Amino acid sequence: MEARAKHLEWERIHLEQEVEQLAQEQVKQVQLLQLLAVAVLLVLVLLLWFIGWKSSQRREEDEEGNRGANEGEVGNVAANEGDNVGNEDVNEAAIAENINDVANEVLEDDFDDHVGRVIMERIQWPVQDLQRGCEWTTDLMDQCSLYFQRVLSNSFYPVLQRAIGVGSAFEGWNPREQDVVYRLLIPMTPPRGHSFHLELDSAGQRHVRNFRVRVQLECTCTREQQAEDMLCFLHHPEEELRRNQDPSLLDTLCTGSYLNVQKTARWFHQLVRAVWPALPQSHNWHLVLLPSTRSCQFKVTNGRESFRIELFFGVRRDDSAIFVCSQPREAHTASTTWPESYAVAEVEFFKHIARQAPPDSLHLKCLQFFTRLQLGFSFSTYTMKTIVMHLLNVTPVSSWRRRDLLERLQDIINSLHFCVRAKRLNHFIVGNQRFPQDINLPADVQRAEPLNLLHHLVQQPDVHTQALHEYHVLEKWFKRIVLAED
């Protein structure tokens, strides 16, 4: 404790010296810019005085040449001279005001950019090459897809589509320095002679949207007449089906009429183990399958590097970016329950922002900072991510640069405080009428009542009190790191 106290005292003194040095540098910069602005103003005043003097000289010469003109003309000339002098005074004042505005803007931009640079240097960002990891993982899954198609071409197991990268790594950020997990969702479509029907589980909790995937057999008699080597599960005798054809999906991965998540996960584990020796990566990488009941997790290593990969399975809702997925939402999720997943839509949203954001945008840095800062507190990573997504949706993407860093970080911490006090944080996608229109969502998702991610604070007053306390502790850490306050 004493060593910790000494370390904190040393760190406080160091931060105070840094702030004092920063203040001195800022004063010098302000003084220099003020002197520059005064010099520009003096030059401009001298230039205007010279122009006025030349104009006065020309007017005197004109008066000498036209002394015999009538008084009416002289009166008009005098009136015009008065107007010109007034206009010159107005122009001079406007130019001076514009110069002051420009000088102030330069001062503010330089100051804000300097503050942003100091904050960037103060925060220890994790060193990660997420892009390379995502590319390597995607390439591995593309190789797997080729072999999946060969192995499953004549079977009645789900048809596996190309994997879609989801989660923080594929969104471009990660809350932890180590142990990055590359998550992918594998869309599944029904095999021949089968169809999938999604049924909303209305008996579940009102704060989540759970589905069940009902598997239904379809008549294939007409296809058989088209020379397809397949018997109809509905109209051929069961004895003939058992003797001449593989069992249907209902008999392998289902419980009753519903697709079973755990059976699907075990089947996929076996599939990965079977195709791994045929992959080019197997020559240099070692595969270790990890236990999981609702996904397929494994680690691949080559002695120098390692990648941890988690695969989920999902069924797309119509042609939208929303899936029902094997990823659980609660601690105990039934084996036939497929929660609605917004992971693909969220990845698409971050891509939507990246297409509009300037190259030096720091929105992902802001998200990464807060998801690391809240580790050890009860605020979830998804809560901080949702707050940042809401802010990205209403704040211009051009306002997330280094000069805006302090303001954006304060926006996030203030938004968290407001949400905790109000005991409400709306889900970013469900019921969000301002969600980007170029990302396709089912109509019922957009029209649904917004889900409150902090509903537990309403139901449990003690938890709300604890959350307020944790917020104030988190705020102190924030000010200590970002604002160099004790």
Side-chain angles (χ1 to χ4, degrees):
M1 293 292 291
E2 182 179 355
R4 173 69 174 172
K6 290 182 179 179
H7 175 73
L8 291 176
E9 178 66 18
W10 177 87
E11 188 177 20
R12 184 185 66 79
I13 294 173
H14 178 73
L15 289 174
E16 288 179 353
Q17 292 174 349
E18 186 180 75
V19 171
E20 183 178 355
Q21 183 180 359
L22 173 62
Q24 292 175 355
E25 293 177 357
Q26 291 170 354
V27 169
K28 292 179 181 179
Q29 291 179 357
V30 170
Q31 291 176 345
L32 180 61
L33 289 172
Q34 287 177 341
L35 289 175
L36 179 62
V38 170
V40 172
L41 284 173
L42 288 175
V43 171
L44 181 62
V45 169
L46 289 174
L47 179 62
L48 291 174
W49 176 84
F50 179 76
I51 294 173
W53 178 76
K54 293 293 292 183
S55 298
S56 178
Q57 290 291 327
R58 284 196 299 269
R59 285 196 300 270
E60 290 179 0
E61 292 176 359
D62 291 341
E63 288 177 0
E64 289 292 335
N66 297 319
R67 194 174 296 275
N70 59 59
E71 294 181 358
E73 292 176 349
V74 171
N76 289 335
V77 170
N80 290 334
E81 287 175 357
D83 292 341
N84 289 335
V85 172
N87 289 335
E88 289 174 1
D89 292 339
V90 171
N91 290 336
E92 181 179 346
I95 292 172
E97 184 178 355
N98 289 335
I99 290 176
N100 283 330
D101 291 341
V102 171
N104 289 333
E105 289 179 3
V106 170
L107 286 172
E108 291 177 1
D109 286 347
D110 287 347
F111 176 76
D112 292 340
D113 189 72
H114 186 68
V115 170
R117 179 178 60 80
V118 171
I119 294 174
M120 289 289 293
E121 293 173 353
R122 188 175 293 141
I123 299 173
Q124 294 182 357
W125 305 101
V127 180
Q128 300 165 332
D129 191 356
L130 294 177
Q131 183 176 358
R132 180 183 179 279
C134 291
E135 291 174 353
W136 192 93
T137 305
T138 301
D139 181 63
L140 172 66
M141 293 312 303
D142 286 344
Q143 294 287 338
C144 288
S145 295
L146 297 176
Y147 287 92
F148 292 160
Q149 292 174 6
R150 297 176 187 176
V151 173
L152 304 175
S153 60
N154 294 318
S155 73
F156 298 104
Y157 288 103
V159 179
L160 305 178
Q161 307 297 324
R162 189 171 187 263
I164 304 172
V166 296
S168 60
F170 284 91
E171 291 165 351
W173 61 280
N174 195 69
R176 294 174 177 82
E177 175 72 34
Q178 303 294 334
D179 198 26
V180 180
V181 180
Y182 295 91
R183 294 183 170 89
L184 300 99
L185 187 147
I186 301 179
M188 300 186 303
T189 56
R192 300 170 298 162
H194 300 73
S195 60
F196 289 160
H197 302 272
L198 304 182
E199 298 178 353
L200 181 62
D201 185 5
S202 57
Q205 300 184 27
R206 58 187 297 267
H207 300 291
V208 295
R209 289 166 57 90
N210 291 327
F211 285 77
R212 294 195 297 174
V213 181
R214 181 167 58 85
V215 180
Q216 182 173 308
L217 296 175
E218 302 291 338
C219 178
T220 58
C221 294
T222 55
R223 298 179 185 176
E224 182 186 0
Q225 295 172 0
Q226 297 173 0
E228 286 196 20
D229 186 18
M230 176 182 173
L231 303 177
C232 179
F233 284 110
L234 291 177
H235 299 114
H236 278 79
E238 291 185 9
E239 182 65 29
E240 185 179 0
L241 288 170
R242 282 195 298 268
R243 186 172 59 250
N244 299 318
Q245 190 162 272
D246 291 337
S248 72
L249 182 58
L250 286 171
D251 297 323
T252 55
L253 303 183
C254 292
T255 297
S257 299
Y258 295 97
L259 192 61
N260 188 299
V261 174
Q262 296 180 8
K263 291 182 179 180
T264 304
R266 287 195 296 269
W267 162 71
F268 197 83
H269 266 86
Q270 297 170 0
L271 193 61
V272 170
R273 182 183 286 110
V275 303
W276 175 256
L279 299 178
Q281 289 84 349
S282 65
H283 301 298
N284 301 316
W285 296 79
H286 176 64
L287 172 71
V288 178
L289 287 166
L290 305 174
S292 177
T293 58
R294 296 184 63 93
S295 65
C296 178
Q297 298 187 40
F298 56 90
K299 182 183 291 186
V300 287
T301 58
N302 67 352
R304 301 182 307 275
E305 295 180 286
S306 67
F307 295 101
R308 184 177 174 183
I309 301 170
E310 185 171 16
L311 306 176
F312 296 101
F313 327 104
V315 178
R316 188 187 297 269
R317 293 199 57 197
D318 302 324
D319 60 345
S320 71
I322 304 299
F323 286 75
V324 299
C325 177
S326 62
Q327 187 174 14
R329 290 282 173 80
E330 301 95 23
H332 303 286
T333 304
S335 60
T336 56
T337 297
W338 296 73
E340 192 170 59
S341 171
Y342 317 100
V344 174
E346 290 168 358
V347 168
E348 292 298 322
F349 173 74
F350 280 101
K351 291 179 180 178
H352 168 83
I353 294 296
R355 288 192 292 268
Q356 304 177 44
D360 57 345
S361 177
L362 296 176
H363 61 280
L364 294 178
K365 289 287 189 184
C366 293
L367 173 56
Q368 187 160 303
F369 169 72
F370 271 101
T371 53
R372 295 187 69 203
L373 183 65
Q374 57 81 34
L375 294 177
F377 294 91
S378 61
F379 308 114
S380 69
T381 298
Y382 195 71
T383 294
M384 304 309 303
K385 173 182 170 181
T386 301
I387 289 175
V388 172
M389 288 192 294
H390 277 296
L391 289 173
L392 282 169
N393 207 33
V394 298
T395 307
V397 292
S398 59
S399 299
W400 291 81
R401 296 182 175 181
R402 190 170 68 180
R403 64 171 179 262
D404 312 299
L405 180 59
L406 179 58
E407 186 176 358
R408 296 289 81 80
L409 292 176
Q410 289 178 325
D411 286 345
I412 297 171
I413 193 75
N414 292 338
S415 296
L416 176 62
H417 189 205
F418 175 81
C419 291
V420 172
R421 288 181 57 194
K423 297 182 279 191
R424 183 166 192 87
L425 172 60
N426 286 343
H427 195 280
F428 180 64
I429 294 178
V430 179
N432 185 359
Q433 300 296 325
R434 302 185 64 176
F435 192 76
Q437 296 298 314
D438 57 343
I439 303 174
N440 190 17
L441 300 180
D444 66 304
V445 171
Q446 285 189 308
R447 292 195 302 262
E449 181 181 353
L451 302 178
N452 180 15
L453 299 183
L454 301 181
H455 62 88
H456 59 287
L457 301 184
V458 180
Q459 300 169 345
Q460 306 174 53
D462 293 343
V463 176
H464 181 231
T465 303
Q466 178 65 22
L468 285 172
H469 171 72
E470 290 191 0
Y471 167 78
H472 291 301
V473 177
L474 182 69
E475 185 185 32
K476 290 180 180 178
W477 279 100
F478 169 78
K479 290 181 178 180
R480 182 183 173 192
I481 295 174
V482 175
L483 305 178
E485 295 183 5
D486 290 337

